[in-house]
Amino acid sequence: KYQRTLDPVETLTFVAAHTRRVAVGTSVLNVPWYNPVLLARRLSTLDVLSGGRLRVGLGMGWSPDEYEAAGVPWQERGRRVDECIRVLKTIWTANPVEFQGTYYRIPKSIIDLKPVQKPHPPIYMAAYTSSALKRTAREANGWFPVGMPIGALGPMFEQIKGMAQKIGRDSTSLELIVRANVEFADPLPGQDRLHFTGSLEQIAGDVAATRTLGAAELVFDVQFSPGVDTVDDMIVRMEQLWELSKAS
């Protein structure tokens, strides 16, 4: 399903040019695949052109084949993520910029323009492993999980906030944003049903549970939803879900 896709940054630039208020964001950029200097400039450009509406979702992917295609060693992905994020933040917040790491070096340079948002656009990470949770607590403005049972989100988010507090960050500033891969279908038995799948009423119940959890936002990924044939059909389904969710 990912054999025919548009590049996210260029696509969001197009969206930003045709909108005025909606936030534009990635879910997610696998940062080891990018040169962080060029990525920092591309994202700064998008934040400037959108008037400060960029949200940056960062991750490191799951497929060794994709790393091979990108020419990046799979075994080094965690260390590269850490260093790339440090490079991004350095470029966004300093002038002149100077950086010396294991994988990247920036001689003293002036790199402008800076993002509109200060100190930088908000960063969100989807994380599940212990090291990735620690990275989220250390570097991110929020946690952006997908494909997890709703009941597991609360305890894991509290774990992230606890990690953040231990290193001196304000854990109350961290946001929980849930991504839902929605699948509309006939009503499904409870024991066999994944969250955000099934009937409109079942999915509306999941929306209510996510709201009770305290999530700041719920993002629906509707691009690969089985059982919906057209964009117009999807719009109708989402409008129906919105009305049900308001009533629940």
Side-chain angles (χ1 to χ4, degrees):
K1 63 184 180 180
Y2 291 110
Q3 292 177 342
R4 291 169 55 87
T5 59
L6 295 172
D7 181 88
V9 179
E10 278 70 20
T11 302
L12 291 175
T13 304
F14 178 87
V15 171
H18 288 77
T19 57
R20 292 294 178 267
R21 294 180 297 172
V22 64
V24 292
T26 57
S27 174
V28 295
L29 296 176
N30 294 322
V31 282
W33 302 351
Y34 295 86
N35 177 299
V37 177
L38 300 182
L39 180 62
R41 294 189 66 216
R42 293 173 69 194
L43 294 176
S44 294
T45 298
L46 179 51
D47 197 52
V48 170
L49 293 179
S50 68
R53 290 184 281 144
L54 174 63
R55 299 180 179 185
V56 184
L58 299 179
M60 62 182 184
W62 55 270
S63 171
D65 291 344
E66 291 178 327
Y67 271 77
E68 183 178 1
V72 179
W74 169 256
Q75 294 79 7
E76 298 176 355
R77 62 193 185 282
R79 294 188 296 275
R80 285 180 177 270
V81 168
D82 290 334
E83 190 163 307
C84 283
I85 293 172
R86 288 169 53 207
V87 173
L88 291 175
K89 288 185 175 182
T90 300
I91 292 173
W92 286 337
T93 59
N95 248 344
V97 177
E98 193 169 11
F99 186 89
Q100 180 66 58
T102 302
Y103 306 103
Y104 302 101
R105 176 181 176 272
I106 305 175
K108 186 178 289 188
S109 308
I110 299 295
I111 303 179
D112 272 325
L113 295 167
K114 301 300 185 187
V116 172
Q117 300 176 85
K118 304 302 180 186
H120 53 72
I123 294 172
Y124 300 95
M125 295 182 177
Y128 307 100
T129 66
S130 176
S131 60
L133 292 175
K134 290 178 182 177
R135 182 180 299 113
T136 300
R138 185 177 63 249
E139 303 287 1
N141 299 94
W143 186 41
F144 193 19
V146 60
M148 293 185 61
I150 294 174
L153 296 179
M156 289 188 71
F157 189 49
E158 290 301 316
Q159 183 181 356
I160 292 172
K161 291 196 292 185
M163 293 175 179
Q165 191 169 7
K166 284 183 179 179
I167 60 174
R169 295 193 66 196
D170 178 11
S171 61
T172 63
S173 66
L174 293 174
E175 290 185 312
L176 171 61
I177 298 180
V178 178
R179 176 177 146 188
N181 293 339
V182 65
E183 181 177 338
F184 295 104
D186 293 331
L188 298 172
Q191 65 271 20
D192 298 327
R193 188 179 73 90
L194 298 174
H195 288 127
F196 303 107
T197 68
S199 67
L200 282 167
E201 290 76 13
Q202 287 177 315
I203 298 173
D206 295 332
V207 173
T210 305
R211 185 184 298 123
T212 301
L213 188 64
E217 294 183 33
L218 174 60
V219 178
F220 280 98
D221 185 349
V222 299
Q223 58 183 328
F224 302 121
S225 183
V228 179
D229 296 325
T230 67
V231 172
D232 289 341
D233 187 18
M234 177 58 74
I235 292 173
V236 170
R237 298 285 187 97
M238 294 304 296
E239 288 175 342
Q240 293 170 337
L241 179 59
W242 169 248
E243 292 301 323
L244 279 174
S245 299
K246 288 195 298 184
S248 62

